[in-house]
Protein backbone atom coordinates (compact mmCIF):
# COMPACT_ATOMS: atom_id res chain seq x y z
CA UNK A 1 0.00 0.00 0.00
CA UNK A 2 2.80 2.42 0.89
CA UNK A 3 4.91 1.69 -2.16
CA UNK A 4 2.04 2.65 -4.47
CA UNK A 5 0.26 5.41 -2.58
CA UNK A 6 2.63 7.19 -0.21
CA UNK A 7 4.42 9.48 -2.64
CA UNK A 8 1.05 10.25 -4.24
CA UNK A 9 -0.11 11.30 -0.75
CA UNK A 10 2.94 13.55 -0.37
CA UNK A 11 2.23 15.08 -3.78
CA UNK A 12 -1.42 15.62 -2.82
CA UNK A 13 -0.25 17.51 0.28
CA UNK A 14 1.19 20.05 -2.17
CA UNK A 15 4.88 19.18 -1.97
CA UNK A 16 7.04 19.17 -5.14
CA UNK A 17 8.53 15.94 -6.50
CA UNK A 18 11.85 16.88 -4.90
CA UNK A 19 10.23 16.24 -1.51
CA UNK A 20 9.44 12.67 -2.53
CA UNK A 21 13.05 12.25 -3.62
CA UNK A 22 14.20 13.54 -0.23
CA UNK A 23 11.92 11.14 1.66
CA UNK A 24 13.01 8.13 -0.40
CA UNK A 25 16.66 9.08 0.12
CA UNK A 26 16.26 9.61 3.88
CA UNK A 27 14.52 6.25 4.30
CA UNK A 28 17.09 4.40 2.21
CA UNK A 29 20.00 6.11 3.96
CA UNK A 30 18.59 5.22 7.39
CA UNK A 31 18.21 1.60 6.26
CA UNK A 32 21.78 1.52 4.94
CA UNK A 33 23.15 2.95 8.22
CA UNK A 34 21.43 0.36 10.40
CA UNK A 35 22.08 -2.73 8.24
CA UNK A 36 25.50 -3.62 9.69
CA UNK A 37 24.60 -2.84 13.35
CA UNK A 38 21.47 -4.99 13.02
CA UNK A 39 23.55 -7.84 11.57
CA UNK A 40 26.00 -7.61 14.49
CA UNK A 41 23.12 -7.42 16.97
CA UNK A 42 21.48 -10.42 15.33
CA UNK A 43 24.61 -12.47 16.06
CA UNK A 44 24.25 -11.67 19.76
CA UNK A 45 20.54 -11.71 20.49
CA UNK A 46 17.27 -13.41 19.57
CA UNK A 47 16.26 -13.17 15.91
CA UNK A 48 12.64 -13.56 16.96
CA UNK A 49 12.87 -10.57 19.29
CA UNK A 50 14.39 -8.42 16.54
CA UNK A 51 11.69 -9.44 14.07
CA UNK A 52 8.95 -8.64 16.60
CA UNK A 53 10.52 -5.26 17.33
CA UNK A 54 10.84 -4.51 13.63
CA UNK A 55 7.21 -5.45 12.88
CA UNK A 56 5.81 -3.40 15.76
CA UNK A 57 7.77 -0.20 15.20
CA UNK A 58 7.66 -0.38 11.39
CA UNK A 59 3.87 -0.49 11.60
CA UNK A 60 3.72 2.35 14.13
CA UNK A 61 6.00 4.51 11.98
CA UNK A 62 3.83 3.77 8.93
CA UNK A 63 0.71 4.78 10.83
CA UNK A 64 2.42 8.02 11.86
CA UNK A 65 3.46 8.71 8.28
CA UNK A 66 -0.13 8.31 7.10
CA UNK A 67 -1.22 11.18 9.35
CA UNK A 68 1.82 13.48 9.18
CA UNK A 69 1.74 16.52 6.91
CA UNK A 70 4.58 18.78 8.13
CA UNK A 71 7.93 18.59 6.40
CA UNK A 72 9.93 17.77 9.54
CA UNK A 73 7.49 15.05 10.61
CA UNK A 74 7.55 13.47 7.15
CA UNK A 75 11.36 13.32 7.15
CA UNK A 76 11.70 12.00 10.73
CA UNK A 77 9.07 9.30 10.23
CA UNK A 78 10.65 8.28 6.91
CA UNK A 79 13.95 7.78 8.72
CA UNK A 80 12.19 5.77 11.46
CA UNK A 81 10.47 3.56 8.89
CA UNK A 82 13.81 2.95 7.17
CA UNK A 83 15.49 2.00 10.44
CA UNK A 84 12.87 -0.48 11.61
CA UNK A 85 12.10 -1.99 8.20
CA UNK A 86 15.79 -2.97 8.06
CA UNK A 87 15.18 -5.43 10.93
CA UNK A 88 13.15 -7.66 8.61
CA UNK A 89 15.41 -7.19 5.62
CA UNK A 90 18.49 -8.31 7.56
CA UNK A 91 17.11 -10.91 9.96
CA UNK A 92 14.32 -12.70 8.06
CA UNK A 93 16.50 -14.93 5.86
CA UNK A 94 19.01 -15.90 8.62
CA UNK A 95 16.01 -16.66 10.87
CA UNK A 96 14.52 -18.97 8.24
CA UNK A 97 17.89 -20.60 7.64
CA UNK A 98 18.47 -21.16 11.36
CA UNK A 99 15.09 -22.85 11.79
CA UNK A 100 15.12 -25.20 8.81
CA UNK A 101 17.16 -28.05 7.37
CA UNK A 102 19.62 -27.32 4.58
CA UNK A 103 17.62 -29.32 2.02
CA UNK A 104 14.48 -27.28 2.81
CA UNK A 105 16.03 -23.83 2.50
CA UNK A 106 15.92 -23.18 -1.24
CA UNK A 107 12.20 -23.90 -1.43
CA UNK A 108 11.58 -22.14 1.88
CA UNK A 109 13.29 -18.96 0.68
CA UNK A 110 11.35 -19.08 -2.59
CA UNK A 111 8.05 -19.48 -0.75
CA UNK A 112 8.97 -16.71 1.68
CA UNK A 113 9.83 -14.15 -0.98
CA UNK A 114 6.89 -15.20 -3.16
CA UNK A 115 4.43 -14.76 -0.30
CA UNK A 116 5.90 -11.35 0.51
CA UNK A 117 5.46 -10.31 -3.11
CA UNK A 118 1.95 -11.81 -3.23
CA UNK A 119 1.00 -9.69 -0.23
CA UNK A 120 2.50 -6.68 -2.01
CA UNK A 121 0.34 -7.43 -5.07
CA UNK A 122 -2.76 -7.46 -2.86
CA UNK A 123 -1.66 -4.27 -1.14
CA UNK A 124 -0.78 -2.51 -4.39
CA UNK A 125 -3.98 -3.31 -6.28
CA UNK A 126 -6.29 -3.36 -3.24
CA UNK A 127 -4.94 -0.12 -1.80
CA UNK A 128 -5.46 1.81 -5.01
CA UNK A 129 -8.94 0.37 -5.44
CA UNK A 130 -9.92 1.17 -1.84
CA UNK A 131 -8.71 4.76 -2.20
CA UNK A 132 -10.83 5.18 -5.34
CA UNK A 133 -13.88 3.67 -3.59
CA UNK A 134 -13.52 6.07 -0.66
CA UNK A 135 -13.21 9.03 -3.02
CA UNK A 136 -16.33 7.95 -4.92
CA UNK A 137 -18.10 7.81 -1.53
CA UNK A 138 -17.34 11.48 -0.97
CA UNK A 139 -14.00 11.40 0.86
CA UNK A 140 -11.39 13.90 -0.21
CA UNK A 141 -8.27 12.56 -1.94
CA UNK A 142 -6.10 13.29 1.10
CA UNK A 143 -8.55 11.61 3.50
CA UNK A 144 -8.86 8.51 1.33
CA UNK A 145 -5.10 8.17 1.00
CA UNK A 146 -4.61 8.68 4.74
CA UNK A 147 -7.19 5.98 5.53
CA UNK A 148 -5.60 3.43 3.18
CA UNK A 149 -2.06 4.18 4.37
CA UNK A 150 -3.15 3.95 8.01
CA UNK A 151 -4.68 0.54 7.22
CA UNK A 152 -1.38 -0.57 5.73
CA UNK A 153 0.47 0.54 8.85
CA UNK A 154 -2.00 -1.30 11.08
CA UNK A 155 -1.47 -4.47 9.01
CA UNK A 156 2.29 -4.19 9.62
CA UNK A 157 1.66 -3.89 13.37
CA UNK A 158 -0.48 -7.04 13.25
CA UNK A 159 2.56 -8.99 11.99
CA UNK A 160 3.74 -8.74 15.60
CA UNK A 161 1.05 -11.25 16.67
CA UNK A 162 1.99 -14.35 14.60
CA UNK A 163 5.64 -13.72 15.40
CA UNK A 164 4.75 -14.21 19.07
CA UNK A 165 3.56 -17.74 18.25
CA UNK A 166 6.77 -18.85 16.54
CA UNK A 167 8.86 -21.35 18.49
CA UNK A 168 12.51 -20.87 17.67
CA UNK A 169 15.00 -23.72 17.43
CA UNK A 170 17.38 -23.79 20.39
CA UNK A 171 20.80 -22.44 19.49
CA UNK A 172 23.52 -25.04 19.04
CA UNK A 173 26.36 -24.45 21.50
CA UNK A 174 29.81 -24.54 19.97
CA UNK A 175 32.45 -26.72 21.60
CA UNK A 176 34.88 -24.31 23.26
CA UNK A 177 37.52 -27.05 23.55
CA UNK A 178 37.77 -27.15 19.75
CA UNK A 179 38.99 -23.58 19.56
CA UNK A 180 42.73 -23.14 18.96
CA UNK A 181 44.70 -21.95 22.01
CA UNK A 182 46.08 -18.42 22.31
CA UNK A 183 44.94 -15.14 20.78
CA UNK A 184 43.95 -15.33 17.13
CA UNK A 185 43.65 -11.64 16.36
CA UNK A 186 47.30 -11.30 15.40
CA UNK A 187 47.10 -14.18 12.94
CA UNK A 188 46.32 -13.55 9.26
CA UNK A 189 42.85 -14.44 8.04
CA UNK A 190 42.57 -18.05 6.84
CA UNK A 191 42.12 -18.47 3.12
CA UNK A 192 38.41 -19.36 3.57
CA UNK A 193 37.81 -16.07 5.39
CA UNK A 194 39.63 -14.13 2.66
CA UNK A 195 37.47 -15.88 0.07
CA UNK A 196 34.35 -14.97 2.06
CA UNK A 197 35.30 -11.28 2.11
CA UNK A 198 36.08 -11.39 -1.60
CA UNK A 199 32.64 -12.85 -2.31
CA UNK A 200 31.00 -10.26 -0.05
CA UNK A 201 32.80 -7.46 -1.91
CA UNK A 202 31.63 -8.78 -5.29
CA UNK A 203 28.03 -9.12 -4.14
CA UNK A 204 28.19 -5.64 -2.62
CA UNK A 205 29.37 -4.13 -5.89
CA UNK A 206 26.63 -5.92 -7.80
CA UNK A 207 24.00 -4.72 -5.31
CA UNK A 208 25.28 -1.14 -5.60
CA UNK A 209 24.75 -1.24 -9.36
CA UNK A 210 21.31 -2.87 -9.06
CA UNK A 211 20.35 -0.42 -6.30
CA UNK A 212 21.36 2.56 -8.44
CA UNK A 213 19.08 1.45 -11.25
CA UNK A 214 16.11 0.51 -9.08
CA UNK A 215 16.46 3.67 -7.00
CA UNK A 216 16.16 5.78 -10.14
CA UNK A 217 13.04 3.97 -11.37
CA UNK A 218 11.00 2.01 -8.82
CA UNK A 219 10.00 4.72 -6.28
CA UNK A 220 8.68 7.02 -8.99
CA UNK A 221 6.75 4.66 -11.29
CA UNK A 222 3.39 5.57 -9.75
CA UNK A 223 4.08 9.31 -10.07
CA UNK A 224 5.04 8.77 -13.70
CA UNK A 225 1.79 6.95 -14.48
CA UNK A 226 -0.46 9.43 -12.68
CA UNK A 227 1.30 12.59 -13.89
CA UNK A 228 1.73 11.59 -17.53
CA UNK A 229 -1.36 9.48 -18.21
CA UNK A 230 -3.80 10.73 -15.55
CA UNK A 231 -4.85 7.17 -14.62
CA UNK A 232 -6.87 6.22 -11.54
CA UNK A 233 -5.30 4.93 -8.34
CA UNK A 234 -6.81 1.51 -9.09
CA UNK A 235 -5.05 1.43 -12.47
CA UNK A 236 -1.74 2.48 -10.88
CA UNK A 237 -2.07 -0.33 -8.32
CA UNK A 238 -2.75 -2.88 -11.06
CA UNK A 239 0.18 -1.68 -13.17
CA UNK A 240 2.59 -1.97 -10.22
CA UNK A 241 1.09 -5.36 -9.31
CA UNK A 242 1.77 -6.79 -12.76
CA UNK A 243 5.50 -6.31 -12.28
CA UNK A 244 5.31 -7.93 -8.85
CA UNK A 245 3.38 -10.90 -10.24
CA UNK A 246 6.09 -11.58 -12.81
CA UNK A 247 8.69 -11.41 -10.03
CA UNK A 248 6.69 -14.05 -8.11
CA UNK A 249 6.70 -16.30 -11.18
CA UNK A 250 10.47 -15.98 -11.57
CA UNK A 251 11.04 -16.75 -7.87
CA UNK A 252 8.83 -19.83 -7.94
CA UNK A 253 10.66 -21.32 -10.93
CA UNK A 254 14.07 -20.44 -9.41
CA UNK A 255 14.55 -23.73 -7.47
CA UNK A 256 13.68 -25.79 -10.57
CA UNK A 257 16.12 -23.81 -12.70
CA UNK A 258 18.82 -24.21 -10.03
CA UNK A 259 18.23 -27.99 -9.94
Amino acid sequence: MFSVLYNLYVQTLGYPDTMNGTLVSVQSFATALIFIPIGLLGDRTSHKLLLMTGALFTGLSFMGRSLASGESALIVLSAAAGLFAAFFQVIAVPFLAGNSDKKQRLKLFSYHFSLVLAAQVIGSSGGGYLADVLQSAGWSKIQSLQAVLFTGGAASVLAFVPLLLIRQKPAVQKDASAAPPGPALSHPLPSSAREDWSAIAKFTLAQLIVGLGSGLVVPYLNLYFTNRFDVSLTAVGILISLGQIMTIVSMLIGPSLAS
Side-chain angles (χ1 to χ4, degrees), residues 1-258:
M1 289 181 177
F2 263 79
S3 64
V4 172
L5 298 179
Y6 185 69
N7 50 11
L8 295 174
Y9 167 66
V10 173
Q11 187 182 63
T12 305
L13 289 174
Y15 290 103
D17 288 343
T18 51
M19 182 61 175
N20 271 312
T22 298
L23 296 177
V24 170
S25 300
V26 166
Q27 182 174 344
S28 300
F29 187 63
T31 301
L33 283 179
I34 201 67
F35 259 12
I36 293 177
I38 287 299
L40 295 173
L41 187 61
D43 288 337
R44 292 164 174 77
T45 189
S46 167
H47 287 179
K48 177 180 173 180
L49 178 61
L50 289 175
L51 290 174
M52 290 167 56
T53 303
L56 179 61
F57 286 99
T58 298
L60 291 175
S61 63
F62 280 176
M63 292 166 74
R65 294 177 78 186
S66 70
L67 303 175
S69 58
E71 183 174 345
S72 298
L74 290 173
I75 291 173
V76 169
L77 288 168
S78 290
L83 289 173
F84 291 113
F87 284 46
F88 258 84
Q89 295 178 49
V90 175
I91 300 298
V93 169
F95 179 78
L96 292 173
N99 289 275
S100 61
D101 297 327
K102 188 174 181 180
K103 61 183 180 182
Q104 299 173 318
R105 287 175 191 163
L106 190 58
K107 283 188 176 180
L108 184 62
F109 293 160
S110 295
Y111 294 154
H112 164 67
F113 288 116
S114 297
L115 285 171
V116 169
L117 284 167
Q120 290 176 357
V121 169
I122 295 170
S124 297
S125 54
Y129 176 75
L130 180 57
D132 279 339
V133 168
L134 293 175
Q135 288 178 41
S136 65
W139 292 43
S140 69
K141 188 172 183 179
I142 287 181
Q143 288 174 332
S144 66
L145 290 172
Q146 284 179 325
V148 174
L149 292 172
F150 191 88
T151 302
S156 297
V157 170
L158 287 176
F160 177 85
V161 178
L163 284 167
L164 281 172
L165 306 177
I166 292 175
R167 283 186 286 185
Q168 196 168 353
K169 266 187 177 181
V172 178
Q173 298 294 326
K174 293 183 179 179
D175 185 1
S177 62
L185 292 177
S186 59
H187 296 170
L189 288 172
S191 59
S192 59
R194 286 197 297 269
E195 291 169 1
D196 286 346
W197 280 109
S198 175
I200 289 171
K202 292 173 183 176
F203 274 112
T204 301
L205 178 60
Q207 285 293 89
L208 283 171
I209 298 170
V210 172
L212 176 64
S214 63
L216 287 168
V217 177
V218 175
Y220 310 110
L221 278 176
N222 52 354
L223 290 175
Y224 171 73
F225 287 130
T226 54
N227 291 345
R228 178 164 182 177
F229 302 109
D230 195 28
V231 297
S232 67
L233 296 177
T234 302
V236 172
I238 292 172
L239 287 167
I240 301 298
S241 298
L242 290 174
Q244 294 167 330
I245 289 170
M246 292 311 299
T247 307
I248 293 172
V249 172
S250 65
M251 284 187 167
L252 287 175
I253 65 175
S256 299
L257 289 174

